[in-house]
Amino acid sequence: MIELIGIKKTYFTEGKETPVLFGIDFKIEEGEYVAIMAPSGTGKSTLLNILGTLDKPTEGKYLFKNRDLTELNDDQLSQLRNKSIGFVFQLFNLLNRVSVLDNVLLPLLYAHNYPKDAKERAINLLNMVGLSERIHFKPNALSGGQQQRVAIARALINEPDVLLADEPTGNLDSKSSEEILNIFDEIHRQGRTLVVVTHELDVAKRAQRVITMRDGKVFKEEKVK
Amino acid sequence: MNIRRTLHISLNVLFGHKLRTLLSALAVGTGVAAVVMMVGASKAAQNDTAKKIENLGTDLISVQASRIKNLGGRARHGTRFTTTTLNDIRSIKRKVSGVKRVGGMFDRRANANYKNIKTRTMLMGVEPEVFDIWRISAVSGRLYTQRDEEKIARVCVLGQTTKNNLFGDVDPVGEMIQVGPMQLKVIGVSSQRGLDYRGNDLDDVIYVPLQTAMKRFFNVTYIEAIIVQVYNKDSMDEVKEEITRVLRKNHRIKEGKEDDFTIQTQEQLLKSEMQTEEAFGLLVAVVAGLSMVTGGIGIFAVMLISLRERKREVGLRRAIGARHKDITVQFMLEALILSLIGGIIGIIVGLLGCCIITKLNNWETLIPLSTLAFAFIISVVTGIIFGFYPARLASKMEPAEALRAAV
Ligand SMILES: Nc1ncnc2c1ncn2[C@@H]1O[C@H](COP(=O)(O)OP(=O)(O)OP(=O)(O)O)[C@@H](O)[C@H]1O
Ligand SMILES: [Mg+2]
């Protein structure tokens, strides 16, 4: 479903070059649960942003469901993100002034047409993440773990092909982290593709396969289970 | 993009930031209030002047014994002359056709007192015909007549303000008052005339027969003005020309020399005044426009500042599928909502201000619909213009970059 071929990324800021990725190749199959492991500050977010089309590689080819994404324009990429990719961030990125329910519904704002059963879908998802009692709360009235669960529901509202998570437990205590990882297991069981970026072994070990990066390259790939 | 949902979210976001929203809305509101208030008040003033023209009568011509220059839109008396006399009034009556009534006038400010109550007022010597021309009647006692005029009688008619100043609620008819060096018998109180176009109280006055003023008070042989009423408004210009000819002949003015008097129709007199008001209206529009710009800058600044702290929100929206266009629309919508809230606040405050101004001036309060529409449109346009740049900035953010922004 996802294939990276020779992906390189160099940042150019204020005349300085910061090479981060030095040629990444890997494949992710449909329905797979993959963890990408690397130490802090070595380009995990960079890679995830490229996977999520939020950023463009400096070099290389990115095939998503056999489409070469380097050939799509900005609006097409936006639509692809809306339909096919769900994001979960370390800092949740919820709109604090807007209710939990409206946060979950937010991606539908940019969908081609607004589904009639939107609210029902959102409530089902909130149910799945165990927040059906909190749909009218504002996010800042929730704990970090609860906020991240709202973010997961939001990422799933458009039934994406793949869920991309950037250190989803990086800001959570171990109990909340465990809850999040259990939800990921559930999502995986339902057949969705998951890519989780992390520097924690405990988190990575929950995936089927771990891709370890070092110095901006794939260092090793191993099956966990 | 679903506009109804977008609106719903935007409203939530805006009302979540109450202070920020209120501040930028107030910036626009101030501008709109200024527009409504100033334009509304100046419209009411113009309307008031127009009505005063009607009230004064559009069939009147005034002859002033001076050259009146129009300086900066305001009438200024130039050189005064002593050549216009009672004889001129007789000539106009006899020789000029189309004249319905004529009356002479001579007035000066004077001190008057009744017992120990003093007032400073206008002593106005006018012929009795002037009462008819000005549609003045007696609300108590009687007005003086042609007989009183001929007898140079020591009688007077009090305007209502002067009557109130000197007598309060007491009926003054039959009492004697002291005006300057002279005792006058009060024979009546005149009906109310209200304010003139400059806001002077026309009822702060003591009317005396013209010749009483000329001979007993001021010892002059000339008069200051002649008021002429015509039968037919359409013949106004011919009457003016004829009066000019008659007066020039009486005053023995050689051909090519300037008149030593000024003839104006009541309408001309007030229209020159109206012009200053129109010029004022333009100034009002400019000032109002400037305050709109200020309001716009308010929106602009608040949007720009909020943009910095909303970077990650933009990043998130881009991540979940918002296109550049969607971000632009969202931020424009927010600017528009802000300016509309501001517009509504401004219209309400402006109308209140407008009411107060018109009440204070005793003008008729008009709800200037066109002004409201104008204010409304201006606030929408302000929102669009000043919201555009921040919206563009927001939409141009790189999603990865925006998401990396600090909280
Ligand atoms: N826009 C940018 N311009 C310049 N350098 C950047 C930019 N974004 C990231 N970098 C640099 O690229 C490197 C990798 O950053 P990235 O955020 O991908 O790392 P990370 O593994 O996600 O780190 P963390 O564990 O802190 O999340 C870092 O050295 C960072 O300073
Ligand atoms: Mg990172």
Side-chain angles (χ1 to χ4, degrees), chain A residues 31-35 188 204 206-210 222-225:
Chain A
E32 241 194 319
Y33 183 178
V34 176
H188 176 227
R206 301 288 287 256
Q208 292 174 295
R209 183 157 65 101
V210 180
E222 54 191 340
K223 287 254 190 307
V224 177
K225 291 164 203 162

Side-chain angles (χ1 to χ4, degrees), chain A:
Chain A
M1 180 158 106
I2 285 175
E3 185 170 3
L4 298 187
I5 305 161
I7 293 288
K8 293 186 183 172
K9 177 73 184 179
T10 303
Y11 288 109
F12 300 93
T13 30
E14 292 153 13
K16 264 199 305 203
E17 289 186 20
T18 317
V20 179
L21 304 178
F22 295 88
I24 306 263
D25 304 84
F26 61 72
K27 275 190 190 179
I28 293 169
E29 301 301 333
E30 196 163 337
E32 241 194 319
Y33 183 178
V34 176
I36 298 174
M37 263 251 306
S40 268
T42 58
K44 295 188 302 293
S45 295
T46 303
L47 179 60
L48 193 97
N49 284 342
I50 289 171
L51 283 173
T53 76
L54 296 172
D55 210 348
K56 290 204 147 111
T58 321
E59 239 178 85
K61 226 175 174 167
Y62 178 14
L63 300 179
F64 187 91
K65 292 171 96 176
N66 298 321
R67 268 163 103 193
D68 185 354
L69 294 192
T70 39
E71 282 169 9
L72 298 190
N73 68 24
D74 200 87
D75 283 2
Q76 290 169 319
L77 289 176
S78 298
Q79 261 162 31
L80 177 92
R81 287 196 293 273
N82 184 251
K83 275 215 303 250
S84 307
I85 302 175
F87 288 93
V88 174
F89 301 99
Q90 180 174 1
L91 293 173
F92 327 134
N93 283 333
L94 301 173
L95 300 189
N96 281 327
R97 318 278 166 168
V98 168
S99 75
V100 163
L101 181 64
D102 284 333
N103 264 291
V104 175
L105 289 171
L106 201 62
L108 294 177
L109 216 58
Y110 307 111
H112 246 319
N113 34 37
Y114 193 82
K116 282 204 180 63
D117 62 342
K119 195 170 164 188
E120 207 182 308
R121 243 152 81 177
I123 290 173
N124 282 340
L125 285 168
L126 284 167
N127 213 7
M128 182 195 88
V129 299
L131 286 175
S132 50
E133 313 276 279
R134 303 270 196 286
I135 60 172
H136 297 301
F137 279 51
K138 297 280 157 69
N140 40 22
L142 301 181
S143 73
Q146 288 171 327
Q147 291 192 43
Q148 192 61 300
R149 287 187 267 151
V150 175
I152 294 170
R154 178 183 64 194
L156 295 175
I157 188 81
N158 263 340
E159 297 175 336
D161 297 315
V162 58
L163 187 77
L164 301 179
D166 188 355
E167 311 235 25
T169 61
N171 256 20
L172 302 177
D173 58 47
S174 56
K175 181 167 166 286
S176 300
S177 300
E178 186 59 28
E179 282 167 5
I180 298 296
L181 293 173
N182 289 341
I183 292 172
F184 280 1
D185 287 342
E186 171 64 23
I187 294 169
H188 176 227
R189 251 197 306 282
Q190 288 169 5
R192 215 173 295 281
T193 315
L194 264 105
V195 180
V196 177
V197 153
T198 182
H199 66 267
E200 292 171 87
L201 192 59
D202 291 349
V203 175
K205 276 202 310 213
R206 301 288 287 256
Q208 292 174 295
R209 183 157 65 101
V210 180
I211 299 174
T212 310
M213 287 181 13
R214 200 170 283 175
D215 304 326
K217 283 184 181 156
V218 175
F219 175 67
K220 68 174 175 196
E221 292 187 40
E222 54 191 340
K223 287 254 190 307
V224 177
K225 291 164 203 162

Side-chain angles (χ1 to χ4, degrees), chain B residues 213-228:
Chain B
M214 288 168 68
K215 295 183 178 148
R216 293 199 193 278
F217 278 96
F218 304 116
N219 194 25
V220 291
T221 55
Y222 56 91
I223 57 177
E224 264 182 337
I226 303 171
I227 299 155
V228 180

